[in-house]
Amino acid sequence: MLLLRPRTQTYPWGSKDLIARLRGHTSASHPEAELWYGAHPGGSATVDNRTLTAVISADPEYHLGTSVREKYGDRLPFLLKILAAAEPLSLQAHPSFAQAKEGFARENDAGIDIRAPHRNYKDDNHKPELIVALTKFHAMAGFRPLSRTRELFDALKCPTLDRWVGIAEGEGSEGDHLRALFTTWISIPATVRKELIDDIVDAARTVVAAGSEESDGTEPWIIETLSNIIELDSRYPGDVGVLGALLLNYVVIEPGEAVFLHAGNLHAYCKGLGVEIMANSDNVLRGGLTSKHVDVPELVRVLDFRAVTDPRIESEGGWFRTPAEEFALAKVEVDGTTEVICRGPRIALCTAGEISVAVGESEVQLNPTQAVWIAAGESEQITVSGRGQVFIATVNN
């Protein structure tokens, strides 16, 4: 068992206080967006002065185990993070495995440097992901069913918007209609788009203001969604991402609740602190709400336009199990001593209190944001004691 030092990512949307407060400090000098506890080439955690990637490479059979190596090679299949958003991330989606493999090879063949800002594919892997809230967490996640989007449009009473509603009607599946509306909106001239967004935001302000009256009767989800649209436009006036956000589920989850996103789901985290786990990839296709590279045609190519009724996922016995084969995540509340049985390569991450993690004869004390690497060759039994909270990440077996 080895103490891990995470790789800190300082993206502009990060928070100066969320991770700092988790550590027991007041604030940081710069935005801290993500702490990476994993072995990705773009940012590996370290053990002493060695990267976790190097540690695994020195003895992959011991660290990953036979079954993981047979399926994923000598690469850790998951990436664990703490994510802290003070403002919205870009509107984005991640490719499927086949799309990532093709896109990575295509950009390599084109001679695009892996560090180039216009590079879309940083690796050849897909990226389904799960985030579990540590604070109240706000997210846009997956295309909302059209029936509910029509309710939202009806509540807005925006004549400019009404002229576009017909695109999402007539013959075809729900996914066809969502594709038609989204692809039309992202391709209209900037002046037309700005007028449309301005009118939508003006109408949203009217609905939100009226919603503060107890007798109004507007459903809370509509008020929350439109309040988010207003805030997005204040940060990115006239941005195409504001129109995309109008079609997405807007969810607010409490600590311990989770959202799962398949590859291809359009999404953006808005604000909050959470533990995130995903397939070991950093592939992001952006469609707005960012100053970074936006490749709309490539984004549309990877998008899954099937509606998502509810992106939230429940835990079973403390475990969040998803369709993703690369990872499973457990949230363990500790007040005394608890034993967790799981095999394969594992990471135990403390997020509250003071805890002790013991595997075999080895024992390590952890405070919030500290983590340990537990090799597949070590005991399947993890003993956690003290008072606090720990997340355990492993392969979904």
Side-chain angles (χ1 to χ4, degrees):
M1 187 164 55
L2 303 169
L3 185 65
L4 281 180
R5 181 183 295 273
R7 169 72 175 266
T8 301
Q9 305 287 18
T10 57
Y11 308 134
W13 49 261
S15 168
K16 289 185 177 181
D17 57 8
L18 286 172
I19 289 176
R21 288 205 299 261
L22 194 62
R23 287 176 167 144
H25 306 313
T26 303
S27 64
S29 59
H30 52 268
E32 296 174 308
E34 295 178 343
L35 302 181
W36 286 22
Y37 302 85
H40 190 276
S44 177
T46 57
V47 176
D48 295 326
N49 294 320
R50 303 174 67 199
T51 64
L52 180 58
T53 305
V55 170
I56 292 171
S57 296
D59 192 348
E61 181 66 22
Y62 175 72
H63 285 285
L64 298 178
T66 301
S67 61
V68 169
R69 293 183 71 203
E70 287 176 349
K71 188 163 189 175
Y72 302 104
D74 291 347
R75 177 169 62 178
L76 181 65
F78 62 83
L79 176 59
L80 181 68
K81 302 178 181 179
I82 290 179
L83 181 146
E87 57 185 69
L89 282 65
S90 57
L91 192 67
Q92 60 188 258
H94 310 302
S96 68
F97 183 71
Q99 290 164 342
K101 200 170 186 63
E102 184 276 329
F104 185 67
R106 170 165 35 94
E107 293 189 338
N108 283 345
D109 291 343
I112 302 174
D113 190 281
I114 198 72
R115 295 158 298 185
H118 63 287
R119 175 104 189 193
N120 288 318
Y121 296 93
K122 305 296 179 64
D123 52 64
D124 62 355
N125 204 7
H126 68 164
K127 192 181 174 185
E129 63 186 49
L130 169 79
I131 190 156
V132 183
L134 295 177
T135 65
K136 183 172 286 191
F137 197 91
H138 301 247
M140 298 179 287
F143 286 105
R144 184 190 311 109
L146 263 178
S147 60
R148 285 174 67 81
T149 293
R150 292 190 181 100
E151 289 180 46
L152 184 71
F153 289 176
D154 290 343
L156 273 169
K157 297 181 176 64
C158 176
T160 311
L161 175 62
D162 291 343
R163 295 201 294 268
W164 299 92
V165 173
I167 297 173
E169 296 177 347
E171 295 183 1
S173 67
E174 183 175 48
D176 292 336
H177 293 153
L178 286 167
R179 176 188 290 272
L181 188 54
F182 180 77
T183 54
T184 300
W185 274 353
I186 62 178
S187 60
I188 59 178
T191 54
V192 178
R193 182 177 72 232
K194 181 71 163 56
E195 178 187 357
L196 174 59
I197 292 174
D198 286 348
D199 289 350
I200 288 171
V201 171
D202 285 344
R205 288 195 180 100
T206 300
V207 176
V208 171
S212 63
E213 303 293 330
E214 293 184 6
S215 59
D216 175 69
T218 304
E219 292 193 47
W221 75 267
I222 291 178
I223 300 298
E224 291 179 347
T225 300
L226 295 181
S227 296
N228 180 56
I229 294 297
I230 294 168
E231 182 173 349
L232 292 177
D233 186 64
S234 71
R235 293 181 180 275
Y236 299 95
D239 191 281
V240 66
V242 177
L243 289 178
L246 198 65
L247 301 176
L248 301 183
N249 292 297
Y250 180 71
V251 295
V252 182
I253 55 175
E254 299 294 332
E257 296 179 336
V259 163
F260 174 70
L261 293 158
H262 293 271
N265 286 158
L266 189 63
H267 67 281
Y269 299 142
C270 298
K271 56 185 174 182
L273 181 71
V275 172
E276 186 181 29
I277 190 169
M278 62 199 65
N280 196 358
S281 171
D282 194 30
N283 287 325
V284 179
L285 284 304
R286 299 179 182 87
L289 307 180
T290 182
S291 58
K292 292 184 177 181
H293 174 61
V294 172
D295 188 337
V296 169
E298 193 68 15
L299 172 69
V300 171
R301 196 177 75 84
V302 307
L303 279 181
D304 184 349
F305 286 95
R306 290 174 295 181
V308 176
T309 302
D310 189 348
R312 287 169 289 199
I313 186 170
E314 300 288 336
S315 66
E316 299 177 7
W319 284 95
F320 295 92
R321 298 193 183 277
T322 74
E325 297 179 345
E326 290 87 351
F327 61 81
L329 186 68
K331 181 175 72 70
V332 183
E333 301 288 346
V334 188
D335 189 1
T337 299
T338 299
E339 292 181 353
V340 179
I341 306 296
C342 59
R343 61 185 181 273
R346 291 149 289 171
I347 296 174
L349 167 63
C350 176
T351 52
E354 297 179 358
I355 63 166
S356 170
V357 176
V359 177
E361 300 298 317
S362 179
E363 184 171 1
V364 178
Q365 303 292 323
L366 298 179
N367 293 315
T369 73
Q370 292 184 320
V372 288
W373 168 257
I374 306 168
E378 298 183 69
S379 170
E380 295 182 1
Q381 179 175 302
I382 303 171
T383 302
V384 185
S385 57
R387 178 176 294 177
Q389 183 183 79
V390 64
F391 282 82
I392 297 175
T394 188
V395 180
N396 191 358
N397 51 26

